Amino acid sequence: MGRKSSISRLPDEVKRHIEQRIGQGRCTLDELIADLQARFPQEAKSGDLPSRSAVHRYGQKLERRLSAIQASTEAARLIREQAGDDKDARSEALTALVQTELFEAILALQEAGDPDADPGQRVGMLSSAARNIATLTRSSVNLKKFQAEVEEATRKKLLQEQRAKLDDLGKTGEVPPEVLAKVIKAAYDL
């Protein structure tokens, strides 16, 4: 396996500064290097600051991660909007689960996509992603099954309650039995 990136070996303050500047996207690589040399003169003197190419490689990885986060966030927003589901928390729970699991899998796969990465590690990451996707699929199927069962039970209970109320109307004599039978037949096909 290849050695760690020179940026990953930097002090946290320097690394956070690089990530912040790359995330803002407001400067060129040369401007970022000059900024690092001015802001962290001690590291610049000792030769601990990363090279231009190291910053570029790190910036590409960071941009891929940010793109994955943005895509995940946008997908979650679309799922919530299109679910049209006010009766349960399916949209919230499933979206949160999908976001978390897929985001972790995407980041892990991107890290394993490094040319210096061990092929065995990449296979392990793909295996992990497949397990996470299978878990999400099972969760979705189980949720839909549960929702269908709850909906069916609710519908049966409602029909029983309405039938009992209609039967009570017929017993009071307020509605003639033949009219009541027609109403029940027309409304509920019973």
Side-chain angles (χ1 to χ4, degrees):
M1 182 158 75
R3 64 186 178 140
K4 282 183 144 185
S5 161
S6 59
I7 293 179
S8 66
R9 296 187 306 254
L10 289 172
D12 287 339
E13 180 185 7
V14 178
K15 186 176 175 182
R16 275 194 305 272
H17 182 73
I18 291 171
E19 289 172 349
Q20 181 183 20
R21 294 298 304 263
I22 290 172
Q24 291 171 345
R26 295 184 189 157
C27 62
T28 66
L29 283 174
D30 292 329
E31 291 170 342
L32 179 56
I33 296 296
D35 179 54
L36 287 172
Q37 291 170 345
R39 185 178 282 273
F40 304 102
Q42 195 70 0
E43 284 82 0
K45 280 184 182 177
S46 64
D48 290 338
L49 288 179
S51 67
R52 185 179 190 280
S53 60
V55 172
H56 177 69
R57 284 190 305 270
Y58 189 78
Q60 286 180 322
K61 279 185 182 179
L62 186 61
E63 286 177 7
R64 282 193 304 264
R65 286 181 184 161
L66 292 174
S67 293
I69 291 169
Q70 289 171 343
S72 175
T73 302
E74 181 65 14
R77 185 187 64 77
L78 289 171
I79 289 170
R80 276 194 304 274
E81 286 176 2
Q82 299 301 318
D85 181 16
D86 295 334
K87 295 182 183 176
D88 66 3
R90 174 183 59 174
S91 175
E92 300 253 352
L94 194 55
T95 300
L97 183 62
V98 168
Q99 278 182 317
T100 302
E101 294 292 331
L102 287 180
F103 179 69
E104 288 175 8
I106 288 168
L107 285 180
L109 284 172
Q110 285 178 345
E111 287 297 317
D114 189 353
D116 297 330
D118 178 24
Q121 182 184 9
R122 183 159 176 81
V123 169
M125 295 296 167
L126 288 170
S127 174
S128 175
R131 274 193 309 275
N132 289 336
I133 291 168
T135 299
L136 290 172
T137 302
R138 277 192 305 276
S139 173
S140 177
V141 167
N142 289 337
L143 179 62
K144 288 177 183 174
K145 181 180 175 184
F146 174 75
Q147 289 171 335
E149 289 170 357
V150 168
E151 186 178 320
E152 181 64 25
T154 303
R155 186 173 34 254
K156 284 181 180 179
K157 183 178 177 184
L158 180 63
L159 285 173
Q160 287 174 348
E161 289 172 359
Q162 290 174 341
R163 178 66 182 205
K165 287 179 183 177
L166 287 172
D167 286 344
D168 286 346
L169 273 177
K171 291 178 186 173
T172 62
E174 294 177 19
V175 179
E178 49 285 340
V179 172
L180 184 60
K182 285 182 182 179
V183 169
I184 291 172
K185 177 77 173 149
Y188 302 106
D189 198 28
L190 297 175

mmCIF file of all heavy atoms in Angstrom, residues 161-177 179-181 183-184:
data_model
loop_
_atom_site.group_PDB
_atom_site.id
_atom_site.type_symbol
_atom_site.label_atom_id
_atom_site.label_comp_id
_atom_site.label_asym_id
_atom_site.label_seq_id
_atom_site.Cartn_x
_atom_site.Cartn_y
_atom_site.Cartn_z
ATOM 1 N N GLU A 161 -66.755 -0.659 11.891
ATOM 2 C CA GLU A 161 -67.383 0.417 12.651
ATOM 3 C C GLU A 161 -68.551 1.022 11.881
ATOM 4 O O GLU A 161 -69.623 1.268 12.437
ATOM 5 C CB GLU A 161 -66.350 1.505 12.983
ATOM 6 C CG GLU A 161 -65.327 1.100 14.004
ATOM 7 C CD GLU A 161 -64.215 2.130 14.159
ATOM 8 O OE1 GLU A 161 -64.222 3.163 13.444
ATOM 9 O OE2 GLU A 161 -63.327 1.895 15.001
ATOM 10 N N GLN A 162 -68.369 1.258 10.592
ATOM 11 C CA GLN A 162 -69.449 1.834 9.789
ATOM 12 C C GLN A 162 -70.619 0.866 9.668
ATOM 13 O O GLN A 162 -71.778 1.272 9.730
ATOM 14 C CB GLN A 162 -68.911 2.222 8.405
ATOM 15 C CG GLN A 162 -67.978 3.410 8.468
ATOM 16 C CD GLN A 162 -67.332 3.707 7.133
ATOM 17 O OE1 GLN A 162 -67.294 2.866 6.240
ATOM 18 N NE2 GLN A 162 -66.803 4.917 7.006
ATOM 19 N N ARG A 163 -70.314 -0.410 9.506
ATOM 20 C CA ARG A 163 -71.360 -1.426 9.411
ATOM 21 C C ARG A 163 -72.178 -1.471 10.704
ATOM 22 O O ARG A 163 -73.414 -1.537 10.675
ATOM 23 C CB ARG A 163 -70.726 -2.794 9.120
ATOM 24 C CG ARG A 163 -71.678 -3.938 9.049
ATOM 25 C CD ARG A 163 -72.581 -3.772 7.859
ATOM 26 N NE ARG A 163 -73.534 -4.848 7.824
ATOM 27 C CZ ARG A 163 -74.118 -5.259 6.753
ATOM 28 N NH1 ARG A 163 -73.859 -4.674 5.609
ATOM 29 N NH2 ARG A 163 -74.982 -6.222 6.784
ATOM 30 N N ALA A 164 -71.485 -1.391 11.844
ATOM 31 C CA ALA A 164 -72.174 -1.409 13.139
ATOM 32 C C ALA A 164 -73.072 -0.186 13.289
ATOM 33 O O ALA A 164 -74.210 -0.298 13.767
ATOM 34 C CB ALA A 164 -71.160 -1.473 14.273
ATOM 35 N N LYS A 165 -72.607 0.970 12.878
ATOM 36 C CA LYS A 165 -73.416 2.192 12.961
ATOM 37 C C LYS A 165 -74.639 2.100 12.057
ATOM 38 O O LYS A 165 -75.744 2.503 12.437
ATOM 39 C CB LYS A 165 -72.583 3.419 12.598
ATOM 40 C CG LYS A 165 -71.583 3.806 13.671
ATOM 41 C CD LYS A 165 -70.771 5.011 13.239
ATOM 42 C CE LYS A 165 -69.725 5.340 14.281
ATOM 43 N NZ LYS A 165 -68.883 6.455 13.877
ATOM 44 N N LEU A 166 -74.461 1.563 10.867
ATOM 45 C CA LEU A 166 -75.588 1.412 9.943
ATOM 46 C C LEU A 166 -76.599 0.393 10.480
ATOM 47 O O LEU A 166 -77.821 0.591 10.372
ATOM 48 C CB LEU A 166 -75.098 1.002 8.556
ATOM 49 C CG LEU A 166 -74.390 2.105 7.760
ATOM 50 C CD1 LEU A 166 -73.775 1.536 6.495
ATOM 51 C CD2 LEU A 166 -75.347 3.236 7.427
ATOM 52 N N ASP A 167 -76.103 -0.687 11.073
ATOM 53 C CA ASP A 167 -77.003 -1.678 11.669
ATOM 54 C C ASP A 167 -77.802 -1.056 12.806
ATOM 55 O O ASP A 167 -79.003 -1.327 12.964
ATOM 56 C CB ASP A 167 -76.221 -2.894 12.185
ATOM 57 C CG ASP A 167 -75.729 -3.781 11.046
ATOM 58 O OD1 ASP A 167 -76.239 -3.636 9.906
ATOM 59 O OD2 ASP A 167 -74.826 -4.608 11.296
ATOM 60 N N ASP A 168 -77.154 -0.211 13.606
ATOM 61 C CA ASP A 168 -77.850 0.475 14.700
ATOM 62 C C ASP A 168 -78.943 1.390 14.156
ATOM 63 O O ASP A 168 -80.024 1.497 14.738
ATOM 64 C CB ASP A 168 -76.870 1.288 15.544
ATOM 65 C CG ASP A 168 -76.012 0.420 16.440
ATOM 66 O OD1 ASP A 168 -76.353 -0.768 16.611
ATOM 67 O OD2 ASP A 168 -74.993 0.933 16.961
ATOM 68 N N LEU A 169 -78.676 2.050 13.038
ATOM 69 C CA LEU A 169 -79.692 2.915 12.420
ATOM 70 C C LEU A 169 -80.925 2.101 12.029
ATOM 71 O O LEU A 169 -82.058 2.550 12.198
ATOM 72 C CB LEU A 169 -79.130 3.608 11.171
ATOM 73 C CG LEU A 169 -78.398 4.918 11.368
ATOM 74 C CD1 LEU A 169 -77.856 5.416 10.039
ATOM 75 C CD2 LEU A 169 -79.306 5.962 11.981
ATOM 76 N N GLY A 170 -80.675 0.906 11.513
ATOM 77 C CA GLY A 170 -81.795 0.046 11.108
ATOM 78 C C GLY A 170 -82.595 -0.431 12.296
ATOM 79 O O GLY A 170 -83.819 -0.595 12.212
ATOM 80 N N LYS A 171 -81.994 -0.635 13.433
ATOM 81 C CA LYS A 171 -82.679 -1.114 14.634
ATOM 82 C C LYS A 171 -83.523 -0.031 15.283
ATOM 83 O O LYS A 171 -84.502 -0.325 15.951
ATOM 84 C CB LYS A 171 -81.650 -1.643 15.645
ATOM 85 C CG LYS A 171 -80.979 -2.925 15.209
ATOM 86 C CD LYS A 171 -79.946 -3.363 16.204
ATOM 87 C CE LYS A 171 -79.188 -4.578 15.680
ATOM 88 N NZ LYS A 171 -78.069 -4.942 16.546
ATOM 89 N N THR A 172 -83.123 1.222 15.129
ATOM 90 C CA THR A 172 -83.886 2.307 15.756
ATOM 91 C C THR A 172 -85.183 2.570 15.016
ATOM 92 O O THR A 172 -86.072 3.218 15.552
ATOM 93 C CB THR A 172 -83.069 3.616 15.783
ATOM 94 O OG1 THR A 172 -82.787 4.021 14.441
ATOM 95 C CG2 THR A 172 -81.789 3.462 16.567
ATOM 96 N N GLY A 173 -85.299 2.115 13.813
ATOM 97 C CA GLY A 173 -86.506 2.330 13.030
ATOM 98 C C GLY A 173 -86.532 3.667 12.329
ATOM 99 O O GLY A 173 -87.511 4.003 11.672
ATOM 100 N N GLU A 174 -85.481 4.448 12.483
ATOM 101 C CA GLU A 174 -85.447 5.750 11.838
ATOM 102 C C GLU A 174 -85.286 5.618 10.329
ATOM 103 O O GLU A 174 -85.747 6.476 9.582
ATOM 104 C CB GLU A 174 -84.290 6.586 12.400
ATOM 105 C CG GLU A 174 -84.465 6.964 13.859
ATOM 106 C CD GLU A 174 -83.270 7.727 14.413
ATOM 107 O OE1 GLU A 174 -82.473 8.272 13.634
ATOM 108 O OE2 GLU A 174 -83.144 7.779 15.643
ATOM 109 N N VAL A 175 -84.639 4.545 9.897
ATOM 110 C CA VAL A 175 -84.432 4.312 8.473
ATOM 111 C C VAL A 175 -85.029 2.944 8.158
ATOM 112 O O VAL A 175 -84.708 1.950 8.795
ATOM 113 C CB VAL A 175 -82.925 4.316 8.129
ATOM 114 C CG1 VAL A 175 -82.715 4.048 6.659
ATOM 115 C CG2 VAL A 175 -82.266 5.630 8.530
ATOM 116 N N PRO A 176 -85.938 2.898 7.173
ATOM 117 C CA PRO A 176 -86.542 1.609 6.811
ATOM 118 C C PRO A 176 -85.456 0.617 6.377
ATOM 119 O O PRO A 176 -84.488 1.009 5.712
ATOM 120 C CB PRO A 176 -87.458 1.947 5.640
ATOM 121 C CG PRO A 176 -87.675 3.425 5.712
ATOM 122 C CD PRO A 176 -86.481 3.992 6.389
ATOM 123 N N PRO A 177 -85.617 -0.663 6.767
ATOM 124 C CA PRO A 177 -84.596 -1.674 6.456
ATOM 125 C C PRO A 177 -84.278 -1.784 4.967
ATOM 126 O O PRO A 177 -83.109 -1.982 4.600
ATOM 127 C CB PRO A 177 -85.199 -2.975 6.979
ATOM 128 C CG PRO A 177 -86.208 -2.556 7.986
ATOM 129 C CD PRO A 177 -86.693 -1.212 7.571
ATOM 130 N N VAL A 179 -84.354 0.619 2.671
ATOM 131 C CA VAL A 179 -83.546 1.783 2.274
ATOM 132 C C VAL A 179 -82.126 1.610 2.802
ATOM 133 O O VAL A 179 -81.148 1.869 2.096
ATOM 134 C CB VAL A 179 -84.182 3.092 2.812
ATOM 135 C CG1 VAL A 179 -83.247 4.280 2.577
ATOM 136 C CG2 VAL A 179 -85.525 3.337 2.157
ATOM 137 N N LEU A 180 -82.024 1.135 4.036
ATOM 138 C CA LEU A 180 -80.726 0.908 4.642
ATOM 139 C C LEU A 180 -79.924 -0.128 3.848
ATOM 140 O O LEU A 180 -78.729 0.043 3.601
ATOM 141 C CB LEU A 180 -80.892 0.457 6.100
ATOM 142 C CG LEU A 180 -79.613 0.281 6.896
ATOM 143 C CD1 LEU A 180 -78.839 1.592 6.973
ATOM 144 C CD2 LEU A 180 -79.935 -0.234 8.280
ATOM 145 N N ALA A 181 -80.580 -1.181 3.428
ATOM 146 C CA ALA A 181 -79.916 -2.225 2.648
ATOM 147 C C ALA A 181 -79.393 -1.652 1.327
ATOM 148 O O ALA A 181 -78.285 -1.984 0.888
ATOM 149 C CB ALA A 181 -80.866 -3.386 2.397
ATOM 150 N N VAL A 183 -78.567 1.499 0.730
ATOM 151 C CA VAL A 183 -77.464 2.408 1.031
ATOM 152 C C VAL A 183 -76.180 1.611 1.282
ATOM 153 O O VAL A 183 -75.109 1.931 0.773
ATOM 154 C CB VAL A 183 -77.799 3.302 2.253
ATOM 155 C CG1 VAL A 183 -76.565 4.054 2.735
ATOM 156 C CG2 VAL A 183 -78.908 4.275 1.905
ATOM 157 N N ILE A 184 -76.302 0.539 2.078
ATOM 158 C CA ILE A 184 -75.144 -0.288 2.378
ATOM 159 C C ILE A 184 -74.609 -0.929 1.099
ATOM 160 O O ILE A 184 -73.394 -0.934 0.860
ATOM 161 C CB ILE A 184 -75.498 -1.380 3.411
ATOM 162 C CG1 ILE A 184 -75.761 -0.731 4.777
ATOM 163 C CG2 ILE A 184 -74.393 -2.411 3.525
ATOM 164 C CD1 ILE A 184 -76.300 -1.675 5.815
#
